Amino acid sequence: MAVRVQREDFDPGQEIAALTANNKTIGGLTVFVGLVREMAKTRALSAMTLEHYPGMTERMLERIEAEARERWPLEESLIIHRYGRLEPGDRIVLVAAASAHRDAAFEACRFLIDWLKTKAPFWKLEEDSQGDATWVEARESDEEAADRWQ
Amino acid sequence: MAVRVQREDFDPGQEIAALTANNKTIGGLTVFVGLVREMAKTRALSAMTLEHYPGMTERMLERIEAEARERWPLEESLIIHRYGRLEPGDRIVLVAAASAHRDAAFEACRFLIDWLKTKAPFWKLEEDSQGDATWVEARESDEEAADRWQ
Amino acid sequence: MRLLYFAWLKQKVGHAEEEVTLPEAVTNVEQLLAWLAQRGDNYAAALSDPKSVRVAVNQEYARPADPVQNGDEVALFPPVTGG
Amino acid sequence: MRLLYFAWLKQKVGHAEEEVTLPEAVTNVEQLLAWLAQRGDNYAAALSDPKSVRVAVNQEYARPADPVQNGDEVALFPPVTGG
């Protein structure tokens, strides 16, 4: 059970290994990794800057994680979210949930990323190849995805 | 797009890195790793042996993967399944799906493992600490999970 | 009261944070936003569309009727877009 | 015809594979299982519960009425439990 908000990249393999090490109760681990895509809605991106609210961001992520652990019998869980300037192909976020059974692992992992997207204070500033910078607007589909878990 | 049936262990981190390398169209990657649990239904296991049908197993996994790629717009997909003798904590299977969007990545990953469990010719022989060996019976819940995708 | 601004709200207001002393008449989030909006063109522009402004009081999401007071940390930001 | 057995079917039959020549009357999966079951106690025991036997003909899942012929590779096994 851990939450990390950091500028540095992370190593999914190392995180997965640490989550499952020495816990022989785990039958399934689901991991989601979000990456910066080159193509935004209508244009090619050269970079993206992620801003966050130090303090509140960690607090909200911890709450999302605690909520997942109340809803599903998880052995382990992890949320890592980066901030700062990222380029296409860079990792942004990792969420993981491990449980005795795969149902719980899948559902909790999906819940973590859906809630994170609507509850955790992060904002994306996209830069295109012309140097134009635009703040990403919240997507209704993200709200709908999070609403499924109400 | 790849399927591997192998006796050796695999490195989830290396597989994830290879899947996402140099593809800036990927926005989300979902990975499921299945592990040998120490506790079966009613007793502690000391080991498990996975038998398969060389030839048909690979063929079925390739078909399951092709089916996922028809249903969702995937950039990458991967199925690795081990056979032979495994101990509690050992990795059994990895399925992964990468797409521009997380919906497709999650659903395709779930589909891959659900179908694999009911269509791919693998059989598990569990050994407990007394040395008693029992073939695992197919679970109805696995059939139901696969039926959702019909 | 400590005020924090994020994302385009920070850009429109022109700074990331400031200390303010609330008039006595300002006791909830809605009143705070109305009071801020009349402090200058930059604030008016930043707060012109209340639907796109989210408020956190002491790092908890807050609604228009939720109370505020001097000593609070209040953050203003657009809907979140992480992950 | 090449016959393959897996998991407990292999243990009950006593071997993993064999070559057989089909009698002319055996033309589908159902007839094949009936014919095998009367070849000895080991076969009868392995095939006593048809609901727990799956059949693949040339590495494709097959149903009772699907045809079989000499030259086919036919596998008998319990419901699968991988993953």
Side-chain angles (χ1 to χ4, degrees):
Chain A
M1 180 156 189
V3 157
R4 283 168 16 216
V5 179
Q6 61 187 45
R7 188 181 290 277
E8 319 80 63
D9 193 12
F10 51 84
D11 177 341
Q14 214 169 298
E15 303 300 341
I16 291 174
L19 278 181
T20 54
N22 305 318
N23 185 335
K24 296 176 180 173
T25 315
I26 296 174
L29 168 73
T30 305
V31 181
F32 176 80
V33 179
L35 303 139
V36 181
R37 284 194 300 143
E38 196 158 50
M39 281 306 294
K41 261 180 208 150
T42 55
R43 64 213 177 108
L45 298 187
S46 57
M48 163 182 289
T49 300
L50 268 150
E51 191 173 325
H52 75 300
Y53 180 174
M56 182 172 172
T57 302
E58 289 82 352
R59 179 196 285 234
M60 292 306 294
L61 292 180
E62 280 163 11
R63 198 173 298 168
I64 290 164
E65 191 183 44
E67 177 73 28
R69 296 179 75 109
E70 277 203 7
R71 294 185 182 213
W72 291 279
L74 302 184
E75 292 292 323
E76 292 289 343
S77 57
L78 176 64
I79 303 176
I80 307 174
H81 204 301
R82 296 176 68 189
Y83 62 86
R85 194 165 189 277
L86 303 175
E87 294 183 356
D90 284 351
R91 284 178 278 264
I92 305 171
V93 62
L94 178 148
V95 299
S99 178
H101 300 288
R102 77 178 186 286
D103 269 357
F106 264 100
E107 286 176 25
C109 185
R110 187 71 203 259
F111 170 88
L112 287 172
I113 189 70
D114 283 352
W115 269 40
L116 182 158
K117 284 199 172 255
T118 58
K119 306 258 195 286
F122 286 103
W123 304 275
K124 284 175 182 161
L125 179 68
E126 291 179 347
E127 291 167 51
D128 66 16
S129 47
Q130 319 296 310
D132 285 337
T134 323
W135 290 98
V136 176
E137 286 190 36
R139 297 195 316 161
E140 258 182 54
S141 60
D142 284 335
E143 292 279 355
E144 284 162 17
D147 282 347
R148 288 186 315 187
W149 301 106
Q150 297 290 359
Chain B
M1 179 157 188
V3 157
R4 280 161 26 211
V5 179
Q6 61 188 44
R7 187 180 291 275
E8 316 81 63
D9 194 13
F10 50 84
D11 177 343
Q14 214 170 299
E15 303 299 339
I16 290 173
L19 278 181
T20 55
N22 306 317
N23 185 337
K24 296 175 179 173
T25 316
I26 297 175
L29 167 72
T30 306
V31 182
F32 176 80
V33 179
L35 304 139
V36 182
R37 286 194 299 144
E38 196 158 48
M39 282 304 296
K41 262 179 207 152
T42 55
R43 62 211 178 111
L45 298 188
S46 57
M48 162 182 289
T49 301
L50 269 150
E51 190 174 325
H52 75 300
Y53 180 173
M56 182 171 172
T57 302
E58 290 82 352
R59 181 196 284 233
M60 293 307 294
L61 292 180
E62 281 162 11
R63 200 173 296 167
I64 290 165
E65 191 183 45
E67 177 74 28
R69 296 180 76 111
E70 277 204 6
R71 295 185 181 210
W72 292 279
L74 301 184
E75 292 292 324
E76 292 289 344
S77 57
L78 175 64
I79 304 175
I80 307 175
H81 203 300
R82 295 176 68 190
Y83 62 87
R85 195 164 189 278
L86 303 174
E87 294 184 356
D90 285 351
R91 285 178 277 264
I92 306 171
V93 63
L94 177 150
V95 298
S99 177
H101 300 289
R102 77 181 186 285
D103 270 357
F106 264 100
E107 287 176 24
C109 185
R110 186 72 203 260
F111 170 88
L112 287 173
I113 190 68
D114 283 352
W115 268 41
L116 182 158
K117 282 194 172 260
T118 58
K119 305 258 195 285
F122 286 101
W123 303 274
K124 284 176 182 158
L125 179 69
E126 292 179 347
E127 291 167 52
D128 67 16
S129 46
Q130 319 297 310
D132 285 337
T134 324
W135 291 98
V136 176
E137 285 189 38
R139 297 195 315 161
E140 258 181 53
S141 61
D142 285 336
E143 291 279 355
E144 284 162 17
D147 282 348
R148 289 186 318 187
W149 301 105
Q150 296 291 358
Chain C
M1 169 178 291
R2 187 173 176 228
L3 285 170
L4 304 174
Y5 306 95
F6 293 97
W8 56 254
L9 268 149
K10 174 172 67 183
Q11 292 183 323
K12 290 197 179 178
V13 167
H15 45 257
E17 56 179 284
E18 63 185 318
E19 286 286 334
V20 299
T21 304
L22 293 186
E24 277 190 17
V26 174
T27 61
N28 68 25
V29 167
E30 187 172 19
Q31 291 161 351
L32 172 66
L33 294 185
W35 176 68
L36 282 173
Q38 51 77 52
R39 288 178 73 218
D41 289 348
N42 53 336
Y43 292 97
L47 301 172
S48 63
D49 178 16
K51 281 202 307 297
S52 62
V53 178
R54 298 286 176 276
V55 178
V57 177
N58 298 323
Q59 304 189 359
E60 295 285 348
Y61 284 106
R63 294 173 196 206
D66 286 344
V68 294
Q69 58 187 15
N70 284 311
D72 284 344
E73 171 180 303
V74 176
L76 280 62
F77 48 76
V80 306
T81 56
Chain D
M1 167 179 290
R2 188 171 176 229
L3 284 171
L4 305 175
Y5 306 95
F6 292 98
W8 55 256
L9 268 149
K10 175 172 66 183
Q11 293 182 322
K12 290 197 179 180
V13 167
H15 45 259
E17 56 178 287
E18 62 185 321
E19 286 286 334
V20 298
T21 305
L22 293 186
E24 277 190 17
V26 173
T27 61
N28 68 25
V29 167
E30 188 173 16
Q31 291 162 350
L32 173 65
L33 295 185
W35 176 69
L36 283 173
Q38 49 79 52
R39 288 178 73 217
D41 289 349
N42 53 335
Y43 293 96
L47 301 172
S48 63
D49 178 15
K51 282 202 307 296
S52 62
V53 178
R54 298 287 176 274
V55 178
V57 176
N58 297 323
Q59 303 190 357
E60 295 285 348
Y61 285 107
R63 295 174 195 203
D66 286 343
V68 293
Q69 56 186 19
N70 283 312
D72 284 345
E73 172 179 302
V74 176
L76 279 63
F77 47 75
V80 306
T81 56

